[in-house]
């Protein structure tokens, strides 16, 4: 089987949605993916043969509080019939090329702790796993209160994924920072606010509970630094 890899186009949206639903067990919507691919904000790749699309990887750029550009490997999925053929490794290799082209300093993936297949793939591609695991907390963005004037230490990262639009909270987690994130999400009509918390940080866990955040699961960061980073 001859498999090629190229950048995604809007015409790939329905096939990407079908593979994502099959892999992750949750609904993905072709019209949303279509709009996102047309916007050019994401850097998605597809692997395909003569019969059609077999796999995809979706990437987007974020910027840390210190200005470091990161290419986020947000989703990677391969059709069951095409697994074990090295397609995932090829998609990661192409994502790494994208990271260099986009002047990112690292390529990283947030991987659920029980996702053994993705963990093995990241390990085989030279990614380093974070020393500690994190719990992911999210809540839907609803009507928010006025943003506080002072939310020092909180860094808000806007994201557009194939599944949702939202805000990630990074840096110091405070009540003011949470309110700022919720207010921004409501103003921009975003769908979700999310934050990663070290499992040992019980103070932050309680703070998030106070604002209606729900735990989605345990994750690890897998990071591949670029040589020029």
């Amino acid at each position: 089987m001859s498999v090629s890899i190229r950048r995604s186009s809007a015409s790939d949206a329905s096939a990407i949605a079908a593979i994502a639903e099959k892999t992750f067990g949750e609904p993905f919507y072709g019209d949303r993916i279509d709009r996102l691919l047309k916007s050019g904000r994401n850097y998605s790749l597809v692997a395909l043969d003569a019969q059609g699309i077999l796999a995809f990887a979706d990437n987007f750029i974020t910027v840390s509080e210190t200005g470091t550009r990161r290419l986020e490997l947000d989703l990677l999925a391969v059709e069951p019939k095409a697994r074990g053929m090295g397609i995932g490794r090829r998609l990661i290799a192409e994502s790494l090329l994208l990271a260099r082209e986009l002047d990112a300093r690292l390529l990283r993936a947030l991987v659920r702790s029980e996702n053994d297949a993705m963990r093995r793939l990241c390990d085989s591609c030279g990614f380093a796993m974070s020393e500690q695991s994190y719990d992911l907390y999210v809540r839907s963005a609803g009507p928010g209160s006025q943003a506080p004037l002072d939310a020092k230490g909180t860094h808000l990262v806007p994201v557009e994924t194939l599944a949702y639009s939202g805000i990630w909270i990074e840096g110091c987690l405070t009540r003011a920072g949470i309110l700022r994130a919720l207010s921004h999400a409501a103003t921009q009509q975003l769908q979700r606010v999310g934050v990663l918390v070290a499992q040992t940080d019980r103070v932050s866990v309680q703070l998030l509970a106070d604002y209606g955040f729900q735990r989605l699961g345990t994750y690890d960061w897998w990071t591949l630094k670029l040589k020029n980073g």
Side-chain angles (χ1 to χ4, degrees):
M1 180 190 298
S2 177
V3 177
S4 60
I5 294 176
R6 61 165 171 78
R7 284 285 300 274
S8 304
S9 65
S11 62
D12 302 325
S14 59
I16 290 173
I19 294 173
E21 287 189 2
K22 196 179 303 182
T23 301
F24 301 110
E26 58 185 76
F28 284 76
Y29 300 101
D31 55 348
R32 172 180 172 77
I33 297 173
D34 175 89
R35 289 194 302 271
L36 196 57
L37 294 178
K38 285 178 178 175
S39 75
R41 288 193 294 267
N42 283 38
Y43 301 91
S44 296
L45 302 162
V46 290
L48 64 162
D49 65 4
Q51 280 68 52
I53 293 174
L54 300 170
F56 75 89
D58 186 59
N59 306 275
F60 54 83
I61 287 285
T62 64
V63 180
S64 75
E65 188 174 11
T66 59
T68 299
R69 287 171 62 82
R70 311 167 296 199
L71 187 64
E72 311 284 354
L73 177 57
D74 186 59
L75 293 174
L76 189 153
V78 181
E79 282 275 16
K81 66 180 181 180
R83 291 172 187 168
M85 299 169 53
I87 294 175
R89 289 177 61 88
R90 290 182 61 187
L91 286 168
I92 286 179
E94 290 294 327
S95 296
L96 187 58
L97 291 176
L98 274 175
R100 292 194 175 98
E101 290 174 12
L102 297 167
D103 197 29
R105 292 296 181 249
L106 55 89
L107 175 66
R108 67 176 187 171
L110 185 65
V111 181
R112 189 180 283 268
S113 295
E114 61 266 29
N115 187 347
D116 292 334
M118 189 63 183
R119 289 164 67 91
R120 288 193 299 269
L121 179 59
C122 288
D123 185 57
S124 70
C125 290
F127 286 70
M129 190 180 77
S130 53
E131 293 183 358
Q132 64 179 343
S133 296
Y134 299 87
D135 285 338
L136 174 62
Y137 287 84
V138 300
R139 63 157 282 180
S140 298
S145 59
Q146 184 176 357
L149 296 177
D150 186 5
K152 291 182 179 178
T154 300
H155 179 56
L156 302 185
V157 180
V159 296
E160 285 281 355
T161 80
L162 298 187
Y164 69 90
S165 60
I167 287 286
W168 294 348
I169 303 175
E170 295 184 352
C172 183
L173 186 64
T174 64
R175 292 185 184 277
I178 291 172
L179 289 173
R180 180 182 166 201
L182 293 174
S183 176
H184 184 82
T187 300
Q188 298 299 316
Q189 298 184 319
L190 305 177
Q191 298 167 309
R192 187 178 298 180
V193 178
V195 59
L196 290 167
V197 176
Q199 291 183 307
T200 55
D201 189 352
R202 307 317 302 170
V203 173
S204 293
V205 169
Q206 183 57 57
L207 182 58
L208 291 168
D210 292 343
Y211 285 94
F213 283 76
Q214 301 292 319
R215 178 181 174 276
L216 282 192
T218 301
Y219 292 77
D220 301 287
W221 279 115
W222 289 79
T223 302
L224 186 58
K225 292 184 179 180
L226 275 65
K227 291 183 179 179
N228 61 341

